[in-house]
Amino acid sequence: MHERLLPASPNWYCSRSSDTNAKGIFGFGAKNTIYLISVTASSPVVVGELNGHREKVSGFAFCHHPGEENLCASTSDDGTVKIWDINEKVALKDHKAHQSTITALHWSPVEKDLVVSGDEKGIVVCYWRNRDDTQTFFPEPRNIFCLSCSPHNGNYIAVGYKDGMIVVIDISKKNEVVHRLRGHDDEIHALAWCPRPDEEALYSRPEENPEVTNGVTEGHEKGCYLASGSKDQTVRIWSTARGKGVMTLKLPFLKRRGAGIDPSVKERLWLTVHWPAGKPTHVVSSCFGGELILWDLAKSGKQKWSLLGTSSDGQNHSRIVFNMSSVCLGQDQELLISTSMDREIKCWDLSSLECCWTLPTLGGFVYSLAFSPVGTGCLALGIGDNMIRVWDTLSIHNKYDTKTFWQGIKSKVTALSWHPKKEGSVAFGTDDGKVGIYEAYSNKPPQISSTYHRKTVYTLAWGPLVPPLSFGSGDKPPFSLYSCAGEGVIFQHDPWNLAGEATDIDKVIRDTNNIKHKLSPHTDLCWKPDGKVVAIGNEDGSIEVFQAPNLKLLCSIQQHHKIINVLRWHHEHGSQPELGYLLASGSSSAVVYVHDLRGVIESPPETPPVITEAYRSLAGHTAKITNLAWSPHHDGRLATVCYDGTAQVWDVPKEEALSNYRGHKGRLLCVQWSPVDPDVVWTGGDDFTAQEWRVSKQEHTKPPRGKKSIELEKKRASQQKSKAKKKKKASGKGGVKVEETESPNGEENRVGSPAGPEEELSNNEEEETKETTSTPPPSAWSKEPTRQIDRAVPEKVQNGGKVFSFAKKETKEDKRREKQEIPMKKRKARSILPLSTSMDHRSKEEQQQDCLTLATIRHSETVPAQCVPGSGENIQLGLFADRAALYRMFQEEGESHIEGGHYDSAVYLLLWKGDIAGALKMATEKGELTDHLVSIAPMAGYQVWSKAVEAFVKQLCFQEQYLKAASYLLALHKVYEAIDLLKSQQLYREAIALAKARLQPDDPVLKGLYTTWAAVLEKDGHYSNAAKCYLAADCAFDAAKVIAKKGDVASLKTAARLASIAGENDLSHSLCLRCAKELMSDHDWLGAQEALRMQESLLVHRILHCCNELLFVRLSETNVIVTRSCPLTHSWARPHGDSFLNTVRGVWQTEFGVSANDLDKIRSLHQQLKAIDNPAATPNIPINQLVFHVSQDVTLCVLSWLLGEWGAGLEEILGAVARCKGAGNFSLMSETCKLLFPKGMESISEYKTKLDPTDEKGLAAAQSLEAFVCYLQLYELWWTSGCNAVPGTQNGSRVALQSDGITEGQNTSTDRGSDLQNMESGVKEEVYAGHCRCILSEPHAKLQVTQVAVAEIQLRVASLVHQHSQAKESAASPEEGQTNTAASGQATACAKDVAAADPGQGSVNESLPSLIAKVSELHEELSEIPDHIKKYSFPDVIECCLILLYLDRNSTLIPEQLRSEALDLLRKYGTTSSQRKACQRFLS
């Protein structure tokens, strides 16, 4: 399906995750996928993928048995071993015998059905696929790192372990170890058997391994050499005959490019070895820094190695190599394929030791693709592996000529943009918010802007300067760099001074447009190619278009209602200049809208309009749109990519799906159209691939709409309903309201940003962890830490004081339980003087001695020296001696309390002592301050009290008693600090209550609290409470916007009323319109009128909806419109006896007060309605939308007639009829004409009598209307005649479908003729010559035929260009010559077939100049036709001639003169390819 593909990077740190078969197919594991590449000496071609594993592929090996090269085996971290057929790309068999992580795999070269695998527990599993049987071996209880089956003995398997041990086992003997090979002292990374079966002598110096002799001595059994590579920096050659090592090769230290890798650092080393089949005396190994070394085992001397890729710098890998495999192509050429940590796959010629080609691979999501506007074909890729690739896609010698840039990039590259004029200058944005500029053709590190975004950079764009950069002299750069990121800010960077501070363009927008309300966060921006206009997408789904340089608002587009992901302007170099004003937009909804902004840009209105109708709506995708790209080669051709995993190409003017690409295996994130090939598109996605594919080669035309997506949507809907029911029940009991907990509509993560599912950076050198593909969705990561907060906030929002009453009930119940558990006898309180108290429980003699001692102290002048009352053994006497003794007793008792952790008792002693400051100091240090202590602190003075309060506040914060802490701050008159404390703990309700109570009403802190809380509530989906906060902060505009964010009708009505009350009339106007549109889509006209009634300025929309309702009801009776539900209509909408237009005027006068008496009012309504520009109809337009547009034309018509402008009214009616014709809806056109002209031609004649004879436009419009009425009556006559032909082609022309039904048998049928004869009496006069002649207009026939001829020549020119591009590709790619030649031959054959079917339209060999000359002639003919002929739509004249001539063959209704006129027109203008076949039947 693809042309070229950059695959995902091969998995790292696997002993064998890639292999090559004998037919040159190289397979490797990347994430959970296996990629297959066809290898030649000139270039690689990705030929397919194997998908089936759920987790990382840890091993891959081909079957090398002749005839079965299409078989391969793989292992994965999901625990399975799978057998695959690469031709069918299906898994044939699998087993799950391993219980631990599988680390090694090999397919036996001898036993064609044997697949061997090992795991980290030391289990070796042998699987025979022919009999679906497994056998396990457990040679060593060690972690297996690699294994290899002998190519000579089908029973021998070598196993390498993590600790450096190597064993050779014989699987024919259960658990028998043939050899234990000891010598390595670290991980065994690879094992390779010598392709030669015997052990010939190798050159080895005795001093290298004194205990080992050279070669194999006679008398020993024949064995085979085994090579091993280890993390200990050595390659060893082992003799399996003797079970000993014969050679040790130490890796050389290679210093490349002035800097090398320290060989003492083992952590970065992976030493893999490979023994080429064509070189039995040579072994290839990897080295420290990605070099590959060829060891000559038979060479003498100190240096036995040769370095691969020495002819030019940059051939070697730049990082360590993990796997190698080789394939022999021809007799003398062997190619070696290597994979490395540098994310490159290289192919080497082992004869010349040079690199043949390099295939770059990708280690992350492909976030961005960008083609250079200066360097043709230079494609930049922004990848999630922290690197930028620049790919020369037009390189002839190397199809994958890619440069990699990584310096200065520390995060995922999420946005790219080339400088529009400076070659090689590319700007990049990253996941961590950095913006920089790389010079692709220099080796300098990038320039990084000093201004960082706080979140992921979404978009980068080069555009003209806006203030303040636009101020000053002419030495400023012509372009500024603009960046938009996840926090909703757009910065303008000066590319000449990135070190300077970037400016936020929101300030310019506010100042220029006098905006006071909060701006919606921005999510994307796109400059129009001429640099005069910029479109900015917002988080709420709105799009704002500004005029440079002052960013004056031109218009606002309210079409999307979810976050805008991408905006793209149409190019300006097409053949239709009017298409240069098209703006395509994609959001998190699945519909792409295209708006035509020509009128707004060319003639900016004084008041910026709100656009709610799209020029085209492209529906088909089933998930969020992530990127868009207009084709630079076509007019109005758009490519879109989506989370549904497909890329879609659209023909926008026709609203038609052309091609759908399904080659990716994940979600798509970016798309670019080839700048040189109109048939080639490039896409990138989260499957780690960038793919090139052709639009013309895709078998699908529309995005898939499978059962899975439908079932998923149903499941989500049911889950939302069930959640809503649960929340309704909860709200009845004081719980959370449903509205406050439903997820917001537009809050999805922005596309392409790393907020999406985490990439598996499986190859990240800093993270060597196991990778998995089943990563949690973004919500699982982002919402998990805040889950408790999300639950807590709604309770605070909704429950109010009820929480406390509920808490009191719980505490009472707890107290009752505690009372029941308390025993009857109360426990005695702990003594505050435990040491002295304990002395009272001594013996009687000791207590009596205390009495004597106390008496001596009190009555004797001499006190014993060892007796100190109140301390030591006499501590109990402190209570009975003097105060000093008491203080000593307090001191010892306090120290005892502190040691025991009873700080409160120690504090009490200090308080009793009177040392209040000391008590407070101790309580502060120990964190034991209490309300009581703080309350008595003033006794020690104000300073002591204030310090105690501050310390108590810190203690309370540590104990999470924030409300109490804030209250104590108030005691210190620190109101602002108390508010900040509550705010920092997200106690916004309490903070606002405190601020309202203590601060002035106009204090900015109060408004800041409201807005901060509103932002938190809005993020959590509590829109109503957020709106209350905005209202309290005098931000009524933001309040209305946040309520409308929910998107349902009730919310829109509330938001509209709120905006109206607050005086935000413009916002109320747009919200009422949006609400009415939603109600009208559900056929609820009662609700729609009620919504529009809220704004007096919406009277014009009320009468428009009235006309639409009347028209809908009338058409429903004719089954033109089929409704599933019963519409809610007004009583005046029921059909009455009066005509439709009279009914409209009557209802307007009685219900809305609109009559001809107030001409100023009608003129104002007409101007307002005329300003609403509806796009031209396409065959894919929904019927309800088409009827609404027809209603607008009819409304304009009635308003014009009320003003007395009858000609303008007829023009509006003609527009309605032409709109039906353009949509290909013949039934709607017919029924509309019957409603508008109930008397047919007589009705038009009545209107013509009211026209001014000098009104040429009105007369021309009346002529076209007469033609349409006669055209419809002709078809009605034909159908009633019993013709088999069925009307209904999409372009309004039915000749091609019906001409085949006009057979000779029908023409000569007498029964058919008699039927027509019987009908003649009932046919009206209009069918006769008088009125039918109005259809046969020769000027219109000339115009129509010339326009068709121009279109056909343009198609042939496009075909010639396509053939030329194919021939050019064939010449540039000789190896693909056969394929391209065949394709070119098919195209030529197809063109010949077309020429044969259309002999009058030239031959296949027409040249481009001749076709261009024909087009010029035809354009000259078109210029000669009068403007009023070209302006007004007209039925297909040739088609009408054919119908008249057919009726003439079956009846006498058609006069001879009319018949001859029809024949003359056929002869002269019936030359188009679509009509020539039908014309020949009447002209032959």
Side-chain angles (χ1 to χ4, degrees):
M1 296 173 70
H2 56 261
E3 300 296 306
R4 281 182 288 181
L5 180 146
L6 288 186
S9 298
N11 292 331
W12 294 353
Y13 300 104
C14 300
S15 62
R16 192 194 308 271
S17 63
S18 65
D19 197 7
T20 312
N21 69 5
K23 293 185 177 181
I25 301 298
F26 173 69
F28 65 92
K31 300 200 311 174
N32 62 335
T33 302
I34 299 165
Y35 288 91
L36 303 173
I37 297 176
S38 177
V39 174
T40 63
S42 58
S43 65
V45 177
V46 180
V47 294
E49 304 170 18
L50 303 178
N51 294 283
H53 286 296
R54 299 190 308 275
E55 297 185 26
K56 186 188 81 170
V57 175
S58 57
F60 178 79
F62 274 109
C63 173
H64 293 279
H65 190 78
E68 297 191 0
E69 294 89 352
N70 62 310
L71 299 180
C72 60
S74 64
T75 61
S76 168
D77 287 350
D78 60 15
T80 62
V81 178
K82 291 182 179 289
I83 309 297
W84 304 84
D85 183 341
I86 64 171
N87 292 340
E88 301 296 331
K89 297 180 178 56
V90 294
L92 304 177
K93 293 183 178 181
D94 65 79
H95 75 80
K96 297 182 179 179
H98 289 281
Q99 302 299 318
S100 301
T101 303
I102 305 172
T103 55
L105 174 73
H106 196 204
W107 196 307
S108 173
V110 179
E111 297 290 336
K112 66 176 183 179
D113 295 318
L114 175 61
V115 178
V116 184
S117 54
D119 61 34
E120 62 183 12
K121 295 297 184 182
I123 304 295
V124 177
V125 175
C126 295
Y127 174 68
W128 284 268
R129 69 175 183 90
N130 58 336
R131 60 177 188 262
D132 199 17
D133 182 29
T134 60
Q135 186 176 359
T136 60
F137 298 87
F138 188 52
E140 291 287 340
R142 308 167 192 266
N143 187 344
I144 295 176
F145 247 58
C146 59
L147 58 81
S148 182
C149 300
S150 170
H152 314 298
N153 186 336
N155 296 322
Y156 275 24
I157 301 173
V159 184
Y161 293 92
K162 183 177 182 180
D163 59 0
M165 170 72 76
I166 301 173
V167 300
V168 180
I169 63 174
D170 187 345
I171 61 174
S172 64
K173 302 174 182 179
K174 184 69 173 177
N175 291 331
E176 178 172 335
V177 176
V178 180
H179 297 294
R180 284 184 171 84
L181 307 177
R182 294 181 175 88
H184 292 293
D185 57 6
D186 213 332
E187 301 166 358
I188 306 298
H189 290 158
L191 295 170
W193 293 87
C194 178
R196 186 176 295 172
D198 53 351
E199 294 184 359
E200 292 187 358
L202 300 176
Y203 185 86
S204 176
R205 289 182 298 171
E207 62 268 23
E208 287 182 357
N209 196 348
E211 63 179 3
V212 178
T213 59
N214 297 337
V216 181
T217 59
E218 295 182 3
H220 284 76
E221 61 175 333
K222 287 188 176 182
C224 178
Y225 286 127
L226 176 68
S228 61
S230 170
K231 193 177 181 180
D232 63 6
Q233 307 177 15
T234 63
V235 176
R236 291 180 181 263
I237 309 298
W238 307 86
S239 168
T240 57
R242 301 178 56 187
K244 292 184 178 181
V246 297
M247 189 177 295
T248 301
L249 308 171
K250 294 184 179 179
L251 293 184
F253 173 53
L254 303 173
K255 194 170 184 179
R256 295 188 292 114
R257 297 187 297 276
I261 306 295
D262 187 355
S264 63
V265 181
K266 296 182 182 180
E267 287 73 14
R268 292 298 177 199
L269 175 63
W270 186 274
L271 207 169
T272 183
V273 295
H274 176 72
W275 211 314
K279 294 179 178 293
T281 59
H282 293 74
V283 171
V284 184
S285 77
S286 59
C287 199
F288 296 104
E291 304 91 346
L292 295 182
I293 296 175
L294 181 66
W295 300 90
D296 188 348
L297 305 181
K299 183 179 180 181
S300 61
K302 188 174 181 180
Q303 182 170 331
K304 297 186 177 184
W305 53 268
S306 301
L307 186 64
L308 275 70
T310 57
S311 64
S312 62
D313 192 23
Q315 284 199 38
N316 277 291
H317 288 288
S318 59
R319 309 287 288 279
I320 55 177
V321 175
F322 291 112
N323 296 135
M324 293 183 291
S325 59
S326 63
V327 57
C328 293
L329 297 179
Q331 296 180 351
D332 56 350
Q333 188 180 35
E334 185 170 4
L335 300 180
L336 178 75
I337 316 296
S338 58
T339 65
S340 166
M341 185 183 274
D342 63 5
R343 306 188 190 281
E344 290 183 341
I345 299 173
K346 288 183 178 288
C347 176
W348 308 84
D349 188 341
L350 289 179
S351 58
S352 64
L353 303 186
E354 297 300 326
C355 181
C356 302
W357 49 259
T358 300
L359 175 64
T361 62
L362 309 179
F365 292 5
V366 183
Y367 285 109
S368 180
L369 295 173
F371 272 106
S372 170
V374 182
T376 306
C378 194
L379 176 65
L381 299 90
I383 312 298
D385 57 9
N386 307 353
M387 290 191 282
I388 300 171
R389 272 77 164 185
V390 177
W391 183 0
D392 184 2
T393 60
L394 301 182
S395 175
I396 298 176
H397 302 291
N398 181 6
K399 288 190 173 183
Y400 295 94
D401 184 7
T402 305
K403 290 183 179 181
T404 301
F405 301 91
W406 54 269
Q407 288 181 303
I409 304 175
K410 304 298 183 184
S411 185
K412 305 168 188 175
V413 181
T414 55
L416 292 171
S417 181
W418 290 92
H419 194 284
K421 299 295 183 182
K422 186 179 179 182
E423 186 173 7
S425 183
V426 59
F428 65 90
T430 63
D431 179 28
D432 57 3
K434 291 183 181 178
V435 175
I437 300 177
Y438 243 118
E439 299 300 332
Y441 298 116
S442 72
N443 296 322
K444 296 180 181 179
Q447 303 177 60
I448 304 296
S449 173
S450 62
T451 305
Y452 290 2
H453 287 281
R454 297 196 310 273
K455 294 186 179 180
T456 303
V457 178
Y458 290 157
T459 305
L460 294 173
W462 295 90
L465 307 181
V466 302
L469 283 185
S470 61
F471 300 146
S473 59
D475 61 346
K476 295 288 185 180
F479 296 99
S480 260
L481 177 61
Y482 297 86
S483 61
C484 179
E487 72 269 25
V489 176
I490 297 177
F491 284 135
Q492 179 186 202
H493 307 265
D494 185 351
W496 283 12
N497 183 24
L498 284 180
E501 185 178 357
T503 57
D504 187 349
I505 69 169
D506 275 359
K507 184 178 185 304
V508 183
I509 294 174
R510 288 179 179 277
D511 294 344
T512 302
N513 300 284
N514 194 24
I515 297 176
K516 304 298 182 183
H517 58 79
K518 184 186 75 170
L519 294 176
S520 179
H522 308 307
T523 56
D524 197 72
L525 83 155
C526 184
W527 282 95
K528 200 170 181 292
D530 59 8
K532 297 179 180 179
V533 175
V534 62
I536 296 178
N538 300 318
E539 189 182 76
D540 61 1
S542 63
I543 302 169
E544 294 167 321
V545 181
F546 298 94
Q547 187 178 40
N550 296 323
L551 301 185
K552 178 186 177 183
L553 182 64
L554 295 179
C555 69
S556 178
I557 301 173
Q558 301 284 348
Q559 195 78 49
H560 301 276
H561 303 307
K562 293 188 178 182
I563 183 172
I564 299 296
N565 294 326
V566 58
L567 299 169
R568 290 292 181 269
W569 288 97
H570 193 282
H571 58 81
E572 296 187 327
H573 53 264
S575 60
Q576 303 178 46
E578 64 273 10
L579 295 181
Y581 297 92
L582 296 184
L583 175 65
S585 57
S587 71
S588 290
S589 59
V591 181
V592 176
Y593 292 108
V594 181
H595 292 85
D596 186 357
L597 303 179
R598 181 177 184 180
V600 175
I601 295 174
E602 290 184 343
S603 303
E606 294 183 4
T607 302
V610 177
I611 299 175
T612 58
E613 284 291 332
Y615 167 73
R616 294 291 181 265
S617 300
L618 308 178
H621 284 296
T622 56
K624 63 174 66 175
I625 306 298
T626 54
N627 216 311
L628 309 169
W630 289 99
S631 168
H633 314 282
H634 306 86
D635 289 335
R637 187 160 296 185
L638 181 70
T640 62
V641 291
C642 174
Y643 262 24
D644 62 11
T646 69
Q648 180 66 43
V649 177
W650 308 84
D651 186 329
V652 172
K654 295 181 180 178
E655 216 169 36
E656 179 182 356
L658 300 179
S659 178
N660 184 255
Y661 179 66
R662 305 182 184 183
H664 286 272
K665 303 301 178 185
R667 302 170 300 181
L668 299 193
L669 303 176
C670 50
V671 61
Q672 279 288 312
W673 215 291
S674 169
V676 294
D677 193 331
D679 196 37
V680 170
V681 177
W682 298 76
T683 49
D686 67 1
D687 59 355
F688 290 37
T689 67
Q691 302 184 19
E692 173 195 32
W693 49 275
R694 289 193 173 275
V695 176
S696 59
K697 291 185 178 180
Q698 307 310 312
E699 58 178 331
H700 302 284
T701 58
K702 295 181 179 180
R705 181 67 176 172
K707 294 182 179 179
K708 289 185 179 180
S709 61
I710 299 173
E711 290 174 357
L712 184 61
E713 290 178 3
K714 290 181 178 178
K715 186 177 181 181
R716 287 175 180 169
S718 63
Q719 288 176 350
Q720 291 177 355
K721 290 179 181 178
S722 63
K723 288 180 181 178
K725 290 179 180 178
K726 290 179 181 178
K727 289 165 185 172
K728 284 181 179 178
K729 291 180 181 178
S731 63
K733 298 179 181 179
V736 184
K737 292 184 180 178
V738 180
E739 177 194 345
E740 305 301 333
T741 55
E742 289 180 353
S743 60
N745 287 331
E747 289 288 334
E748 292 90 346
N749 291 330
R750 169 68 150 73
V751 173
S753 75
E758 291 295 324
E759 296 179 33
E760 296 176 54
L761 290 179
S762 57
N763 307 333
N764 193 337
E765 58 181 313
E766 284 75 26
E767 291 181 325
E768 300 178 8
T769 56
K770 304 287 184 182
E771 63 176 352
T772 58
T773 55
S774 56
T775 56
S779 59
W781 296 107
S782 59
K783 293 186 179 179
E784 189 69 26
T786 60
R787 192 171 294 170
Q788 296 299 329
I789 296 174
D790 291 342
R791 291 178 181 173
V793 171
E795 292 181 5
K796 294 176 184 175
V797 172
Q798 295 295 334
N799 296 345
K802 294 183 180 179
V803 174
F804 302 105
S805 62
F806 186 70
K808 288 180 181 178
K809 292 179 181 178
E810 289 183 345
T811 53
K812 287 180 180 178
E813 291 176 84
D814 293 340
K815 287 181 179 179
R816 290 172 187 169
R817 292 173 185 170
E818 289 175 4
K819 287 180 180 180
Q820 293 176 359
E821 294 174 359
I822 293 176
M824 298 300 294
K825 187 177 181 180
K826 294 183 179 181
R827 293 183 61 184
K828 189 176 181 180
R830 179 170 52 85
S831 173
I832 199 172
L833 301 170
L835 295 181
S836 59
T837 303
S838 64
M839 301 296 284
D840 293 340
H841 300 292
R842 293 177 299 164
S843 63
K844 181 178 178 181
E845 292 77 8
E846 290 176 324
Q847 293 191 33
Q848 290 176 352
Q849 183 62 38
D850 287 344
C851 293
L852 296 175
T853 303
L854 181 60
T856 302
I857 292 171
R858 294 187 65 84
H859 298 286
S860 176
E861 296 181 358
T862 60
V863 181
Q866 298 178 349
C867 181
V868 181
S871 66
E873 295 179 354
N874 297 311
I875 187 174
Q876 74 280 3
L877 299 181
L879 192 63
F880 306 101
D882 57 5
R883 180 175 293 181
L886 180 67
Y887 283 177
R888 286 193 294 272
M889 183 181 74
F890 280 3
Q891 179 70 25
E892 290 198 14
E893 291 282 4
E895 291 175 355
S896 174
H897 284 309
I898 292 173
E899 289 178 3
H902 307 302
Y903 304 111
D904 54 343
S905 299
V907 169
Y908 286 144
L909 291 175
L910 288 173
L911 289 176
W912 292 356
K913 187 179 176 181
D915 187 5
I916 298 177
L920 292 172
K921 181 180 179 182
M922 176 185 290
T924 300
E925 292 175 352
K926 303 301 181 181
E928 292 292 331
L929 282 172
T930 62
D931 298 303
H932 170 64
L933 290 175
V934 176
S935 67
I936 63 176
M939 297 170 62
Y942 176 79
Q943 295 295 334
V944 175
W945 171 76
S946 62
K947 290 182 179 179
V949 173
E950 291 176 355
F952 193 35
V953 168
K954 293 180 181 178
Q955 177 182 318
L956 290 172
C957 291
F958 182 77
Q959 297 169 350
E960 298 185 358
Q961 300 184 42
Y962 303 111
L963 295 176
K964 195 173 184 180
S967 301
Y968 273 94
L969 284 174
L970 293 177
L972 293 173
H973 302 288
K974 295 184 176 182
V975 179
Y976 290 102
E977 288 83 350
I979 294 172
D980 288 339
L981 172 62
L982 295 175
K983 178 184 175 181
S984 65
Q985 301 303 320
Q986 295 189 349
L987 298 172
Y988 297 106
R989 183 184 295 274
E990 292 78 4
I992 290 172
L994 177 57
K996 292 276 287 185
R998 303 295 290 268
L999 300 180
Q1000 294 297 322
D1002 57 349
D1003 196 304
V1005 172
L1006 185 59
K1007 184 175 181 179
L1009 281 173
Y1010 278 124
T1011 54
T1012 304
W1013 192 23
V1016 173
L1017 292 169
E1018 183 179 352
K1019 184 178 179 181
D1020 294 337
H1022 308 306
Y1023 297 135
S1024 296
N1025 286 285
K1028 295 174 189 174
C1029 292
Y1030 282 129
L1031 287 171
D1034 292 328
C1035 301
F1037 185 93
D1038 299 321
K1041 291 280 286 185
V1042 76
I1043 290 181
K1045 205 168 185 180
K1046 196 172 184 64
D1048 61 301
V1049 171
S1051 299
L1052 292 174
K1053 281 185 178 179
T1054 304
R1057 290 196 183 102
L1058 191 154
S1060 178
I1061 294 171
E1064 298 287 350
N1065 293 326
D1066 292 340
L1067 179 59
S1068 177
H1069 183 102
S1070 62
L1071 290 173
C1072 288
L1073 280 180
R1074 183 178 164 190
C1075 181
K1077 187 177 179 180
E1078 294 288 336
L1079 290 165
M1080 192 187 69
S1081 63
D1082 294 333
H1083 303 146
D1084 183 2
W1085 277 276
L1086 294 174
Q1089 288 289 349
E1090 181 184 353
L1092 295 172
R1093 198 177 293 118
M1094 287 188 286
Q1095 277 284 328
E1096 294 182 1
S1097 60
L1098 294 175
L1099 178 60
V1100 65
H1101 292 278
R1102 293 184 65 194
I1103 64 174
L1104 172 59
H1105 281 69
C1106 166
C1107 182
N1108 182 50
E1109 181 180 354
L1110 291 167
L1111 184 60
F1112 183 90
V1113 172
R1114 298 293 181 95
L1115 293 176
S1116 299
E1117 297 177 349
T1118 62
N1119 294 326
V1120 173
I1121 299 178
V1122 179
T1123 58
R1124 296 181 181 178
S1125 59
C1126 181
L1128 299 176
T1129 59
H1130 294 83
S1131 58
W1132 42 257
R1134 296 166 189 162
H1136 298 86
D1138 207 349
S1139 66
F1140 176 76
L1141 294 176
N1142 289 335
T1143 302
V1144 171
R1145 282 180 288 199
V1147 173
W1148 283 5
Q1149 184 172 359
T1150 57
E1151 299 294 332
F1152 307 103
V1154 177
S1155 65
N1157 297 328
D1158 191 350
L1159 293 181
D1160 292 337
K1161 182 178 183 180
I1162 296 175
R1163 191 171 290 107
S1164 174
L1165 294 174
H1166 187 274
Q1167 291 175 354
Q1168 294 177 41
L1169 192 59
K1170 196 72 175 177
I1172 303 174
D1173 187 19
N1174 286 326
T1178 63
N1180 297 317
I1181 187 172
I1183 182 65
N1184 289 337
Q1185 186 178 357
L1186 179 59
V1187 171
F1188 186 77
H1189 292 168
V1190 170
S1191 303
Q1192 182 173 337
D1193 294 328
V1194 174
T1195 304
L1196 282 170
C1197 166
V1198 177
L1199 288 173
S1200 298
W1201 287 350
L1202 289 174
L1203 290 171
E1205 299 173 357
W1206 295 94
L1210 289 176
E1211 291 182 52
E1212 300 295 347
I1213 290 185
L1214 177 60
V1217 176
R1219 191 180 298 277
C1220 298
K1221 177 178 179 290
N1225 197 320
F1226 189 87
S1227 300
L1228 179 60
M1229 180 171 66
S1230 175
E1231 295 301 329
T1232 302
C1233 287
K1234 290 179 180 179
L1235 287 174
L1236 299 177
F1237 310 114
K1239 299 178 182 179
M1241 303 293 280
E1242 290 182 10
S1243 298
I1244 301 177
S1245 299
E1246 292 176 3
Y1247 295 133
K1248 285 177 68 175
T1249 58
K1250 300 177 182 181
L1251 290 175
D1252 188 341
T1254 61
D1255 188 358
E1256 295 182 358
K1257 294 182 179 179
L1259 292 172
Q1263 180 186 357
S1264 293
L1265 285 172
E1266 288 177 340
F1268 273 111
V1269 171
C1270 188
Y1271 169 77
L1272 294 170
Q1273 289 178 344
L1274 272 179
Y1275 261 104
E1276 186 177 358
L1277 178 61
W1278 187 16
W1279 293 338
T1280 54
S1281 68
C1283 179
N1284 292 339
V1286 180
T1289 60
Q1290 290 189 346
N1291 60 1
S1293 176
R1294 294 158 190 81
V1295 174
L1297 183 65
Q1298 294 162 351
S1299 59
D1300 292 338
I1302 306 176
T1303 62
E1304 291 300 326
Q1306 290 174 337
N1307 292 342
T1308 57
S1309 172
T1310 55
D1311 295 338
R1312 191 70 56 90
S1314 61
D1315 291 339
L1316 288 175
Q1317 294 289 343
N1318 295 332
M1319 290 176 55
E1320 290 182 10
S1321 59
V1323 178
K1324 295 181 180 180
E1325 287 182 350
E1326 287 83 0
V1327 181
Y1328 294 100
H1331 290 120
C1332 283
R1333 188 167 288 111
C1334 68
I1335 307 178
L1336 306 183
S1337 171
E1338 183 170 353
H1340 288 95
K1342 182 179 180 180
L1343 171 67
Q1344 293 165 359
V1345 170
T1346 306
Q1347 289 173 339
V1348 172
V1350 170
E1352 289 178 350
I1353 293 176
Q1354 288 175 343
L1355 287 176
R1356 291 208 294 277
V1357 170
S1359 177
L1360 283 176
V1361 172
H1362 183 62
Q1363 292 180 30
H1364 174 72
S1365 64
Q1366 285 185 331
K1368 188 176 180 181
E1369 282 186 12
S1370 178
S1373 306
E1375 58 273 0
E1376 296 182 5
Q1378 294 180 353
T1379 304
N1380 289 333
T1381 302
S1384 179
Q1386 291 176 0
T1388 304
C1390 180
K1392 288 181 178 179
D1393 292 340
V1394 173
D1398 187 12
Q1401 294 298 320
S1403 65
V1404 179
N1405 298 323
E1406 281 181 315
S1407 64
L1408 187 61
S1410 65
L1411 292 176
I1412 294 176
K1414 287 184 179 180
V1415 172
S1416 300
E1417 293 176 2
L1418 294 172
H1419 279 300
E1420 289 180 3
E1421 294 179 9
L1422 287 175
S1423 63
E1424 296 174 358
I1425 299 174
D1427 291 337
H1428 71 274
I1429 300 292
K1430 291 185 284 188
K1431 180 179 179 181
Y1432 298 114
S1433 181
F1434 202 85
D1436 192 320
V1437 178
I1438 302 302
E1439 180 183 351
C1440 295
C1441 291
L1442 291 172
I1443 299 173
L1444 283 171
L1445 292 174
Y1446 173 72
L1447 291 174
D1448 178 65
R1449 288 191 176 185
N1450 296 274
S1451 70
T1452 59
L1453 290 175
I1454 309 301
E1456 182 62 29
Q1457 184 181 359
L1458 195 62
R1459 176 179 173 277
S1460 62
E1461 288 182 14
L1463 285 172
D1464 291 341
L1465 288 174
L1466 283 186
R1467 292 188 186 97
K1468 194 171 183 180
Y1469 300 107
T1471 58
T1472 60
S1473 58
S1474 60
Q1475 297 172 336
R1476 186 179 298 109
K1477 184 178 178 181
C1479 293
Q1480 291 298 328
R1481 295 180 178 176
F1482 297 100
L1483 297 176
S1484 58

